[in-house]
Amino acid sequence: MLGEAETLSPVLPVALEEATRRLLEKACERKLVLATAESCTGGMLASLLTDVPGVAHVFDRGFVTYSEEAKTELLGVPTNLILREGAVSKPVAVAMAEGALARSRANLALAITGFADKGDEPGLVHFACARAGRVTAHREEHFGTIGRGATRIAAMEVGIEMMTEML
């Protein structure tokens, strides 16, 4: 089981790979389909979810919406919401997750938006997890100035955890 997620394996903590496999196996057992809406992680979570052989088929699609325009065009996040709250905020993360859910075949969608290494507060990341028929969950993390790569890995860990909790 260990080391089966091939693409990102050299840089990922083993515990993250194990948690990802468990998430995908549980989603498979429950016949749930997953989607992501990512900003600061740039599609890394989607890549991780498609790297595990035998269970990656539960992943439907990933939206990489790094720009504000992409959040609006691909996920339907209202422009005025981004202008009022900022792209890195709870309301935008929630709108991203709900938009990904509405624009995919997924039953569960996870959104990540944050400042990986620059911005108003380096390391500030907002997460939202939406599932049909449930209240969208939100989480705010302050990872600090740990660097772009470390922030992205920490964000993937939180994302996998949130998706697992929402199963």
Side-chain angles (χ1 to χ4, degrees):
M1 269 207 248
L2 296 181
E4 288 186 32
E6 296 175 11
T7 306
L8 295 173
S9 280
V11 297
L12 292 182
V14 172
L16 177 55
E17 287 189 16
E18 292 171 345
T20 301
R21 173 170 282 287
R22 284 192 303 275
L23 165 67
L24 292 169
E25 287 172 348
K26 285 180 185 176
C28 189
E29 288 168 11
R30 296 171 188 185
K31 297 185 182 351
L32 295 175
V33 178
L34 311 177
T36 59
E38 299 177 71
S39 186
C40 66
T41 48
M44 290 176 71
L45 182 58
S47 179
L48 178 61
L49 292 168
T50 59
D51 274 353
V52 183
V55 286
H57 65 276
V58 302
F59 184 73
D60 177 47
R61 68 191 74 187
F63 299 89
V64 179
T65 56
Y66 200 70
S67 70
E68 293 176 4
E69 293 81 11
K71 288 173 181 62
T72 298
E73 293 167 11
L74 296 176
L75 300 172
V77 178
T79 303
N80 64 348
L81 180 67
I82 295 171
L83 291 173
R84 185 176 66 248
E85 302 290 340
V88 178
S89 65
K90 175 183 179 178
V92 169
V94 168
M96 288 172 64
E98 292 174 354
L101 196 61
R103 289 165 172 76
S104 70
R105 296 181 316 103
N107 310 97
L108 190 150
L110 189 282
I112 302 172
T113 183
F115 300 116
D117 63 355
K118 293 187 174 157
D120 295 344
E121 182 190 329
L124 170 63
V125 183
H126 285 271
F127 302 84
C129 193
R131 181 169 173 189
R134 294 195 187 170
V135 174
T136 300
H138 169 262
R139 189 160 154 186
E140 178 179 326
E141 290 290 336
H142 300 264
F143 298 119
T145 56
I146 60 174
R148 190 172 194 80
T151 298
R152 287 173 153 185
I153 289 172
M156 288 192 298
E157 291 171 336
V158 170
I160 294 296
E161 182 181 311
M162 285 186 74
M163 291 177 94
T164 301
E165 290 169 358
M166 189 63 84
L167 289 178

